[in-house]
């Protein structure tokens, strides 16, 4: 427990250092802003752009599902498999923000951006099925007398599966770029190539619990005498319980490069413009992935409602950590309505991190982590100078 607390404190410190760095960049940029342009002076253009937005990302790269040894006895078509109950959230939602600064009269641009997303979910399924009753038989062959009675099974078949999940992701970029050309549709476009540093942090956790009574069957004890025949049924079933807790994470930092293009295809810069913005990005992150988990399974055999024997399974605990090199590639496209000092954007973005997570349970298994989905943002321009 103390180790988990120490890990959390270290993660909090790293997050505070990163946010402090972003704040420092903001303060430095603000200190270099010229006096705001006077109203009605169309020769002025913003030096600083502040962007805020939100995104809805579909997630890819789910870890391995927990399948204790007794699951095949449930996967008979009568009950929903515990594997189907273990469904990670399909989407994450979050916020994003960026600050970009372009010195007066220059082609260089400096930017810092942050994207944060999270998701949580869970599912619980309880199913019940009553086994068939058995029949007691007592007969007296010599007299043709016959007697039978139903015997209740004494227990129901059932499955009870509960799964809870949570994920978090944080991506921070610091970049410097230069406008290297015009857009495709006119003189007001831009084509900016950027290089910088990208930091990424992903974490996920889950908790799964499974309880089940399975494999119910009857056996018969038979007594046969010269003048009497007796068949006496005995009920048998297996009761299982299993649980799993896991925590997975990746932290990495490395060089990045991107290409961002803005093409103006309608309007004019003095009033409003329609832009098609698109771009590509790539990075190589050097970091560490970790997977920490514990799961245990227990079973019991019953006969006529009495415990006959225990079924033992060795518990497993693991704490794996590996240094990894994670390639990252992505891109975006958006349609924007731009004013002299404001911009509204709506688009779609994808980012993939290859081999970032350890998705295995008993052994390591590299999994990709991907985010792709729509986003919307609002940008405000501040400051200006004569062209």
């Amino acid at each position: 427990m103390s180790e988990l607390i120490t890990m959390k404190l270290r993660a909090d410190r790293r997050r505070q250092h990163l946010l402090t760095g972003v704040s420092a960049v903001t303060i430095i940029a603000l200190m270099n802003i010229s006096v705001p342009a006077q109203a009605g002076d169309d020769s002025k253009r913003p030096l600083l752009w502040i962007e805020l937005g939100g995104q809805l990302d579909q997630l890819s790269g789910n870890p391995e599902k927990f399948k204790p040894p007794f699951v095949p006895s449930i996967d008979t078509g009568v009950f929903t498999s515990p594997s189907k109950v273990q469904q990670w959230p399909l989407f994450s939602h979050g916020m994003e923000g960026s600050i970009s600064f372009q010195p007066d009269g220059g082609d260089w641009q400096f930017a810092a951006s942050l994207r944060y997303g999270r998701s949580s979910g869970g599912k619980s399924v309880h199913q019940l099925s009553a086994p068939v009753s058995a029949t007691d038989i007592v007969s007296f062959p010599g007299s043709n007398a016959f007697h039978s009675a139903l015997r209740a099974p004494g227990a129901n078949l059932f499955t009870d599966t509960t799964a809870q999940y949570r994920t978090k992701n944080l991506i921070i970029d610091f970049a410097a770029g230069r406008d290297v050309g015009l857009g495709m549709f006119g003189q007001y476009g831009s084509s900016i190539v950027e290089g910088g540093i990208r930091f990424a942090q992903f974490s996920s956790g889950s908790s799964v619990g499974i309880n089940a009574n399975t494999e119910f069957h009857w056996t018969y004890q038979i007594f046969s005498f010269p003048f009497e025949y007796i068949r006496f049924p005995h009920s048998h079933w297996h009761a299982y319980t299993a649980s799993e807790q896991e925590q997975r994470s990746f932290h990495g930092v490395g060089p990045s490069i991107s290409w961002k293009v803005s093409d103006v295809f309608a309007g004019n810069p003095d009033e409003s413009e329609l832009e098609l913005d698109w771009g590509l990005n790539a990075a190589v992150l050097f970091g560490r992935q970790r997977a920490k988990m514990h799961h245990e399974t227990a079973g019991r055999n019953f006969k006529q409602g009495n415990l006959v024997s225990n079924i033992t399974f060795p518990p497993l605990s693991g704490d794996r950590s590996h240094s990894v090199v994670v390639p990252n590639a992505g891109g975006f496209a958006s349609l924007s309505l731009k004013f002299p000092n404001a911009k509204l954007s709506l688009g779609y973005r994808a980012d993939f991190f290859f081999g970032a997570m350890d998705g295995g349970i008993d052994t390591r298994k590299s999994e990709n982590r991907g985010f792709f989905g729509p986003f919307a943002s609002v940008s405000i321009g501040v400051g200006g100078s004569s062209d």
Side-chain angles (χ1 to χ4, degrees):
M1 185 66 182
S2 61
E3 182 183 355
L4 293 176
I5 294 174
T6 302
M7 289 173 53
K8 186 176 186 303
L9 290 174
R10 290 176 178 172
D12 290 341
R13 292 193 194 101
R14 286 194 294 267
R15 193 176 298 111
Q16 291 173 359
H17 292 162
L18 288 169
L19 294 178
T20 300
V22 173
S23 301
V25 171
T26 304
I27 293 171
I28 294 171
L30 289 172
M31 291 175 64
N32 286 275
I33 297 175
S34 300
V35 177
Q38 297 296 324
D41 190 351
D42 295 333
S43 66
K44 309 300 183 180
R45 63 180 179 84
L47 299 182
L48 184 72
W49 284 94
I50 301 174
E51 180 180 11
L52 296 175
Q55 76 273 353
L56 179 65
D57 289 329
Q58 187 172 346
L59 303 176
S60 67
N62 295 331
E64 186 178 348
K65 296 179 179 179
F66 177 48
K67 296 180 180 180
F70 62 87
V71 166
S73 67
I74 301 177
D75 294 343
T76 59
V78 178
F79 298 120
T80 300
S81 171
S83 300
K84 294 183 178 180
V85 181
Q86 299 176 54
Q87 296 295 334
W88 282 78
L90 296 178
F91 298 93
S92 72
H93 57 88
M95 301 177 61
E96 59 182 74
S98 68
I99 298 174
S100 60
F101 174 63
Q102 187 171 7
D104 186 19
D107 293 328
W108 284 92
Q109 175 178 293
F110 304 92
S113 65
L114 180 149
R115 287 160 49 194
Y116 173 78
R118 63 182 300 171
S119 65
S120 61
K123 190 174 182 180
S124 181
V125 174
H126 178 77
Q127 294 176 304
L128 183 68
S129 176
V132 296
S133 299
T135 305
D136 292 341
I137 297 177
V138 179
S139 64
F140 303 93
S143 61
N144 292 325
F146 181 87
H147 172 75
S148 66
L150 290 177
R151 181 174 293 274
N156 289 317
L157 295 177
F158 75 88
T159 62
D160 190 354
T161 304
T162 301
Q164 298 288 332
Y165 302 99
R166 61 193 180 278
T167 68
K168 292 182 181 179
N169 57 274
L170 175 67
I171 301 173
I172 297 177
D173 289 295
F174 298 96
R178 182 182 176 89
D179 192 343
V180 296
L182 300 176
M184 293 186 296
F185 301 132
Q187 60 177 333
Y188 302 119
S190 65
S191 179
I192 300 175
V193 175
E194 294 181 332
I197 297 294
R198 165 163 282 196
F199 169 83
Q201 174 180 299
F202 311 136
S203 63
S204 66
S206 69
S207 176
V208 179
I210 306 173
N211 295 287
N213 275 2
T214 65
E215 302 175 288
F216 185 96
H217 65 279
W218 292 98
T219 60
Y220 295 91
Q221 186 175 10
I222 296 175
F223 301 94
S224 181
F225 305 101
F227 301 103
E228 186 176 12
Y229 173 86
I230 301 173
R231 189 184 73 173
F232 187 76
H234 297 282
S235 59
H236 303 260
W237 68 87
H238 304 309
Y240 295 101
T241 180
S243 63
E244 183 215 30
Q245 297 81 37
E246 65 177 47
Q247 296 178 355
R248 307 176 190 272
S249 64
F250 165 76
H251 301 79
V253 63
S256 65
I257 186 171
S258 65
W259 179 32
K260 299 177 181 179
V261 179
S262 294
D263 287 308
V264 179
F265 60 88
N268 65 80
D270 297 329
E271 296 180 1
S272 63
E273 301 170 310
L274 281 177
E275 289 185 350
L276 175 63
D277 300 327
W278 58 275
L280 301 172
N281 62 273
V284 178
L285 305 182
F286 301 88
R288 182 167 291 273
Q289 63 180 204
R290 187 177 185 183
K292 185 175 184 178
M293 62 207 65
H294 175 80
H295 66 79
E296 54 187 28
T297 303
R300 294 174 293 172
N301 290 325
F302 288 89
K303 178 180 179 181
Q304 293 295 97
N306 299 313
L307 178 62
V308 176
S309 62
N310 290 312
I311 308 173
T312 59
F313 302 92
L316 177 65
S317 295
D319 190 351
R320 301 188 298 267
S321 181
H322 294 84
S323 296
V324 291
V325 178
V326 176
N328 165 221
F332 78 95
S334 66
L335 186 64
S336 302
L337 177 61
K338 185 176 181 181
F339 302 95
N341 294 86
K343 184 176 180 179
L344 306 176
S345 300
L346 181 64
Y348 191 92
R349 177 173 49 222
D351 241 330
F352 296 95
F353 299 82
F354 301 98
M357 302 295 286
D358 181 352
I361 295 181
D362 296 336
T363 59
R364 183 189 177 201
K365 182 181 179 183
S366 292
E367 295 284 352
N368 303 330
R369 174 56 59 91
F371 310 91
F372 48 97
F375 70 91
S377 64
V378 177
S379 302
I380 302 296
V382 182
S385 62
S386 299
D387 290 331

